[in-house]
Amino acid sequence: MRRGVRLAFDVGKVRIGVASCDAEGILCSPVETLHRDRRGNDHILDAADIVAEYSPIEIIVGLPKNMDGSEGPAARDARRFATQLSLQNRNIGVRLVDERLTTVAAHRNLHAAGRSERSHRAVIDQEAAALILRLALDIEESTGRPPGEPAGGGRKG
């Protein structure tokens, strides 16, 4: 597996969860939750600030496919976000990874950790981003290839 920090984004209508991993790809940790700017692109600028801070070798964006593998409005939104990130960070590969059921798993993990349903909202998107990142790292570990598919706009990594 390639060595280096990676960032993952779980794109939602209202919030975007962010997670990172260590350079060895062992530990995935929540970073923060960004709030969507529905009138502009402030959330892209916020994401670019995080990218600049972490200097990742790769950015992973969760692609929320339907259970039958088709793509709906949420997947199109994630693709747009990934393309915008790719254009902002042309020297870093941005990849889309199928994220089916990660939010369900994130709720389960938080519940198992003793977090109340009420407190989930603050961190659920970060936890989902960490699960997306873990999935991406596991895919690369098992296949020897970068996970998912490249996003348009920047370097194909």
Side-chain angles (χ1 to χ4, degrees), residues 112-124:
R115 300 286 301 251
S116 70
E117 286 289 327
R118 175 173 271 159
S119 70
H120 284 195
R121 184 174 293 139
V123 295
I124 191 67

Side-chain angles (χ1 to χ4, degrees), residues 7-11 59-64 77-79 81-83 85 94-99 132 151:
L7 284 175
F9 292 86
D10 176 47
V11 180
I59 298 168
I60 304 295
V61 176
L63 183 62
D77 190 38
R79 284 186 182 281
F81 178 83
T83 298
L85 263 185
V94 178
R95 301 192 66 85
L96 291 147
V97 173
D98 184 350
E99 62 149 276
I132 291 165

Side-chain angles (χ1 to χ4, degrees), residues 65-79:
K65 291 185 176 184
N66 296 320
M67 291 309 292
D68 66 1
S70 65
E71 295 184 13
R76 287 190 294 276
D77 190 38
R79 284 186 182 281

Side-chain angles (χ1 to χ4, degrees), residues 82-83 85-87 89-94 150-157:
T83 298
L85 263 185
S86 184
L87 291 168
N89 302 281
R90 290 187 182 271
N91 60 333
I92 301 170
V94 178
R155 183 178 70 121
K156 307 295 186 230

Side-chain angles (χ1 to χ4, degrees), residues 1-12:
M1 183 158 62
R2 297 167 295 151
R3 190 177 189 295
V5 171
R6 292 161 177 84
L7 284 175
F9 292 86
D10 176 47
V11 180

Side-chain angles (χ1 to χ4, degrees), residues 3-143:
R3 190 177 189 295
V5 171
R6 292 161 177 84
L7 284 175
F9 292 86
D10 176 47
V11 180
K13 288 182 182 179
V14 177
R15 294 176 304 274
I16 300 168
V18 186
S20 69
C21 71
D22 62 311
E24 302 303 322
I26 296 170
L27 182 63
C28 296
S29 305
V31 171
E32 69 178 276
T33 300
L34 304 177
H35 294 279
R36 291 293 297 262
D37 176 12
R38 297 308 280 174
R39 297 181 192 266
N41 285 323
D42 285 349
H43 57 278
I44 295 296
L45 299 175
D46 293 340
D49 288 343
I50 294 170
V51 171
E53 178 182 344
Y54 281 80
S55 299
I57 65 163
E58 188 167 68
I59 298 168
I60 304 295
V61 176
L63 183 62
K65 291 185 176 184
N66 296 320
M67 291 309 292
D68 66 1
S70 65
E71 295 184 13
R76 287 190 294 276
D77 190 38
R79 284 186 182 281
R80 263 191 307 278
F81 178 83
T83 298
Q84 289 174 313
L85 263 185
S86 184
L87 291 168
Q88 287 281 326
N89 302 281
R90 290 187 182 271
N91 60 333
I92 301 170
V94 178
R95 301 192 66 85
L96 291 147
V97 173
D98 184 350
E99 62 149 276
R100 283 179 265 189
L101 300 179
T102 54
T103 300
V104 172
H107 275 288
R108 194 173 336 155
N109 290 352
L110 291 171
H111 183 71
R115 300 286 301 251
S116 70
E117 286 289 327
R118 175 173 271 159
S119 70
H120 284 195
R121 184 174 293 139
V123 295
I124 191 67
D125 302 295
Q126 294 174 37
E127 179 69 17
L131 289 171
I132 291 165
L133 185 52
R134 177 81 267 149
L135 173 64
L137 293 168
D138 289 348
I139 290 169
E140 182 168 335
E141 182 77 34
S142 67
T143 66

